[in-house]
């Protein structure tokens, strides 16, 4: 039942990777107010990570959590691993959310694929389509009419000029202008 824009739906989120990116994704998910429970799967847990976060297993164990978590998202730096994990999570029956920082600007005419992470102060202009499992980092600017392939990483401060078409798993340098 919805009241005043809020729902009483309790959503749960499983994040694959408790490293830097996973921690940022958890923070953004908490800021969204959409998730009542957030936990991690991580292949290299440390005492520091375990003190700060709920790590429930290894990434290879994702399938056994499909009953207890509604949503899951890969949050690892490797484009290929992020895309592979997304496909596995979908096959296991998880819903794959988009995690978007509240300060990011996304045109209502843009399309953002499942499992894509859009960080603070990024801007995605009209008629742009961003594929699945992409990482749009802090301050990235993507102009109108772009097509961003699955698993692509647009790093901090990168500018993608209008009408650019990027193949899957593209990688760029911070502050690069892509024409």
């Amino acid at each position: 039942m919805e009241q005043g824009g809020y729902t009483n739906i309790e959503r749960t989120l499983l994040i694959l990777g408790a490293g830097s990116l996973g921690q940022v994704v958890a923070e953004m998910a908490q800021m969204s107010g959409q998730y009542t429970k957030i936990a991690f799967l991580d292949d290299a847990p440390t005492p520091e990570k375990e003190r700060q976060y709920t790590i429930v297993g290894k990434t290879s164990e994702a399938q056994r959590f499909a009953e207890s978590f509604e949503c899951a998202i890969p949050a690892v730096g490797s484009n290929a691993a992020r895309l592979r994990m997304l496909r596995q999570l979908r096959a296991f029956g998880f819903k794959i959310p988009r995690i978007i920082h509240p300060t990011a600007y996304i045109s209502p005419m843009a399309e953002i694929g499942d499992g894509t992470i859009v960080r603070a102060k990024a801007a995605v202009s009209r008629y742009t389509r961003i594929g699945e499992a992409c990482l749009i980092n802090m301050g990235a600017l993507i102009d109108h009419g772009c097509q961003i392939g699955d698993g692509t990483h647009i790093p901090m401060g990168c500018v993608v000029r209008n009408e650019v078409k990027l193949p899957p798993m593209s990688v760029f340098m911070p502050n690069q202008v892509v024409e």
Side-chain angles (χ1 to χ4, degrees):
M1 163 200 232
E2 275 195 48
Q3 296 176 344
Y6 294 93
T7 67
N8 61 359
I9 297 171
E10 294 186 7
R11 298 181 80 192
T12 55
L13 177 64
L14 187 62
I15 300 172
L16 277 65
S20 298
L21 180 58
Q23 293 169 29
V24 167
V25 168
E27 181 179 274
M28 290 173 18
Q30 288 170 333
M31 291 170 74
S32 77
Q34 294 182 41
Y35 301 97
T36 57
K37 179 180 176 186
I38 298 172
F40 292 88
L41 296 178
D42 192 79
D43 294 336
T46 63
E48 181 181 330
K49 286 181 193 175
E50 290 175 329
R51 275 193 303 275
Q52 294 180 334
Y53 306 101
T54 303
I55 299 174
V56 295
K58 303 242 184 246
T59 59
S60 60
E61 300 173 300
Q63 187 171 13
R64 80 178 174 97
F65 294 96
E67 295 291 319
S68 52
F69 287 86
E70 176 188 9
C71 302
I73 189 166
V76 296
S78 164
N79 291 347
R82 216 171 36 253
L83 192 54
R84 177 183 45 77
M85 288 175 168
L86 178 136
R87 291 175 178 154
Q88 287 175 337
L89 292 169
R90 184 175 283 135
F92 296 153
F94 289 100
K95 291 180 182 174
I96 311 296
R98 298 160 196 86
I99 304 292
I100 300 172
H101 194 279
T103 65
Y105 170 76
I106 309 294
S107 167
M109 298 175 144
E111 294 177 38
I112 308 293
D114 291 344
T116 288
I117 299 160
V118 182
R119 295 201 50 207
K121 305 292 185 184
V124 179
S125 193
R126 52 193 277 139
Y127 305 122
T128 288
R129 185 193 179 300
I130 297 177
E132 295 186 325
C134 291
L135 174 55
I136 311 303
N137 226 314
M138 295 178 73
L141 305 174
I142 303 174
D143 205 354
H144 65 86
C146 293
Q147 303 292 314
I148 311 296
D150 292 346
T152 291
H153 178 197
I154 307 295
M156 288 183 230
C158 189
V159 175
V160 181
R161 300 285 307 265
N162 61 302
E163 305 294 332
V164 169
K165 291 178 180 25
L166 301 176
M169 293 193 278
S170 295
V171 179
F172 301 97
M173 297 299 295
N175 298 315
Q176 182 176 348
V177 175
V178 181
E179 301 185 78

